[in-house]
Amino acid sequence: MREVTRDFPIEKFENIQTPFYYYNTQLLKETLDVINSETSKFDNYHVHYAVKANANPIILGIIKDAGLGADCVSGGEVEAALKAGFTPDKIVFAGVGKSDWEITLALEAGISCFNVESIPELENIDRIAKEMRKCASVALRINPNVDAHTHSYITTGLSENKFGIDISMIDNVLECLTQLSNVKLVGLHFHFGSQITDMDSFRSLAIRINEIQEIFYRRMVIVDNINVGGGLGVDYQNPDINPIPDFHAYFETFRKHLVLRPKQHLHFELGRSVVCQCGTLISKVLYVKEGIGKKFAILDAGMTDLIRPALYQAYHKIENISSDAEKEAYDVVGPICESSDCFGKAIELNSTKRGDLIAIRSAGAYGEIMASQYNCRRLPKPYFSDKI
Ligand SMILES: *Cc1c(COP(=O)(O)O)cnc(C)c1O
């Protein structure tokens, strides 16, 4: 079988130092349009982009221009969001271990909400807010104990995980809140995993949230905001067939199954599903090496540029975009001194030679942002389809 990908401006790539990230800004904008058209059907749905998926300033700018808010998990991300122009009222701050300087920075900026994950954290935010003569709005991150049926490294909503407050602790937390004068409970927050493609998992989460809301209701607590986190997955196998995730089915699942009280707002924190498909890691073949019973395509990109395969055995579609010759199988590997530095085994590529360009697809989320300089390597640079 022959396959030629024509979507990449290969002539323009020839002059760029590989490896680099290539972002299709048109696809990112189309994805944001779909999100906005789905959520505009409701006046109480709000999407905060999870900055940790990709904090490239140009990407953040496009997402800000589309009107989304920002979900941050560190002081650095709060700074990046502010710098990109997100207004503080659209910034929320989550994370299991917030440092004092990060809490101070977020209070100074006047962000809309801290998603709080423990009683000691609640007490600490109260203490800092008191010193600053401020009141911090907080949402409690409740561990829903719902299995997201995804890879164990990206499951966060089970009792065994470090994230969130267990529902059995709720009375202690509510008691603690009555003692604290500089924090105000404004929401409940949930996030139970990532790369979730089965809507039944989101339905289970919605039903569990209904039960948890009842538990709070019985204690006469109704919050203004329910935040269901992120986690919507993408089609890594077929990035050309499914470049935009099924946001309609996603939002519909919550509309159908989540019971909101009057005037409650529903918040989403989508990361991967917003930016994943618009990004590609472009690399060059350094050598084709004959192994025992197999061939290796040795790339100039490695796990330092895209760590997901090495970290979570993640699959990325790999294509030779320079060749239209018959397919052959290769183990596609990087140059780093680690055996896990392998992008895929027995990958069918158009017959490959030194100098060919290789596209590693669906790399817009948790790609560039996770790049490291291990082996003293240079960081991959970003390029954009409308500026190349
Ligand atoms: C990682 C994370 C997200 C985003 O997850 P995606 O799978 O990229 O959508 C949202 N909220 C919180 C609290 C997170 O930690």
Side-chain angles (χ1 to χ4, degrees):
M1 192 182 71
R2 281 161 189 258
E3 191 181 301
V4 192
T5 303
R6 301 188 190 279
D7 290 345
F8 295 103
I10 298 172
E11 334 70 56
K12 291 180 180 164
F13 287 177
E14 294 297 342
N15 303 320
I16 303 177
Q17 178 67 55
T18 49
F20 63 90
Y21 275 91
Y22 175 71
Y23 294 106
N24 183 336
T25 40
Q26 187 56 38
L27 176 57
L28 175 58
K29 287 175 187 167
E30 282 170 28
T31 306
L32 291 161
D33 284 347
V34 172
I35 293 173
N36 279 333
S37 77
E38 289 300 328
T39 53
S40 65
K41 297 172 186 165
F42 313 93
D43 58 6
N44 59 339
Y45 279 31
H46 311 275
V47 179
H48 299 264
Y49 166 64
V51 173
K52 75 170 192 265
N54 188 320
N56 184 292
I58 291 174
I59 302 269
L60 288 183
I62 294 170
I63 295 171
K64 187 266 303 179
D65 287 344
L68 275 65
D71 163 46
C72 302
V73 292
S74 73
E77 284 190 1
V78 173
E79 286 175 320
L82 289 167
K83 202 166 170 196
F86 288 91
T87 54
D89 61 304
K90 282 192 167 178
I91 298 177
V92 298
F93 185 11
V96 66
K98 302 178 189 76
S99 304
D100 290 7
W101 72 266
E102 295 178 305
I103 295 167
T104 306
L105 182 145
L107 280 169
E108 251 159 25
I111 64 152
S112 72
C113 189
F114 290 85
N115 295 331
V116 172
E117 307 215 6
S118 66
I119 290 178
E121 185 195 339
L122 206 51
E123 291 170 340
N124 195 38
I125 292 175
D126 181 72
R127 178 186 64 81
I128 296 172
K130 188 170 278 167
E131 280 170 17
M132 295 173 71
R133 297 206 169 84
K134 288 188 188 264
C135 184
S137 294
V138 299
L140 299 175
R141 178 168 179 180
I142 307 291
N143 188 330
N145 203 11
V146 170
D147 194 344
H149 299 291
T150 183
H151 192 281
S152 62
Y153 284 11
I154 51 176
T155 296
T156 58
L158 289 175
S159 300
E160 65 196 58
N161 301 123
K162 69 178 175 182
F163 299 101
I165 298 168
D166 199 85
I167 193 67
S168 62
M169 312 271 284
I170 168 186
D171 288 314
N172 308 25
V173 176
L174 291 177
E175 167 61 21
C176 172
L177 275 167
T178 63
Q179 311 292 319
L180 305 176
S181 51
N182 292 69
V183 290
K184 181 176 165 224
L185 180 63
V186 300
L188 296 180
H189 175 233
F190 306 86
H191 173 72
F192 74 142
S194 197
Q195 184 49 20
I196 301 160
T197 47
D198 180 359
M199 292 302 142
D200 284 346
S201 293
F202 290 113
R203 191 191 55 177
S204 304
L205 175 66
I207 291 167
R208 183 76 186 120
I209 294 174
N210 296 341
E211 293 165 8
I212 292 171
Q213 282 238 72
E214 278 299 322
I215 296 172
F216 277 85
Y217 192 63
R218 286 202 290 276
R219 288 158 175 80
M220 308 218 283
V221 178
I222 302 180
V223 293
D224 296 338
N225 302 287
I226 298 295
N227 184 332
V228 297
L232 177 63
V234 303
D235 189 345
Y236 281 99
Q237 266 72 28
N238 306 294
D240 293 316
I241 298 169
N242 292 311
I244 300 180
D246 192 349
F247 290 106
H248 177 75
Y250 173 73
F251 291 115
E252 270 297 295
T253 301
F254 287 100
R255 183 195 63 77
K256 265 197 211 138
H257 300 288
L258 187 72
V259 181
L260 290 178
R261 312 279 165 185
K263 295 203 194 131
Q264 258 182 348
H265 290 264
L266 184 56
H267 300 258
F268 302 86
E269 297 172 339
L270 297 170
R272 187 191 311 272
S273 53
V274 182
V275 291
C276 193
Q277 299 290 31
C278 79
T280 303
L281 179 62
I282 304 288
S283 173
K284 216 169 242 177
V285 177
L286 294 175
Y287 307 104
V288 175
K289 170 166 145 173
E290 292 285 344
I292 307 298
K294 61 162 90 177
K295 282 183 179 175
F296 293 96
I298 302 172
L299 308 187
D300 60 4
M303 63 191 281
T304 52
D305 306 293
L306 177 66
I307 201 175
R308 297 186 68 258
L311 188 60
Y312 328 108
Q313 296 135 357
Y315 172 84
H316 285 265
K317 187 169 186 190
I318 305 172
E319 296 167 327
N320 182 333
I321 57 174
S322 301
S323 159
D324 59 1
E326 290 291 328
K327 296 235 180 213
E328 282 185 73
Y330 300 85
D331 282 11
V332 180
V333 301
I336 315 295
C337 308
E338 296 284 344
S339 297
S340 61
D341 184 31
C342 175
F343 290 112
K345 294 203 163 142
I347 304 295
E348 293 282 326
L349 296 179
N350 299 339
S351 185
T352 295
K353 60 184 187 315
R354 174 175 162 81
D356 284 353
L357 288 171
I358 301 292
I360 304 181
R361 307 290 304 277
S362 313
Y366 308 105
E368 187 189 353
I369 192 71
M370 282 191 168
S372 80
Q373 291 190 296
Y374 179 48
N375 286 190
C376 291
R377 282 167 60 83
R378 293 179 185 165
L379 290 173
K381 288 197 179 130
Y383 292 86
F384 297 86
S385 56
D386 56 346
K387 294 198 185 73
I388 196 168

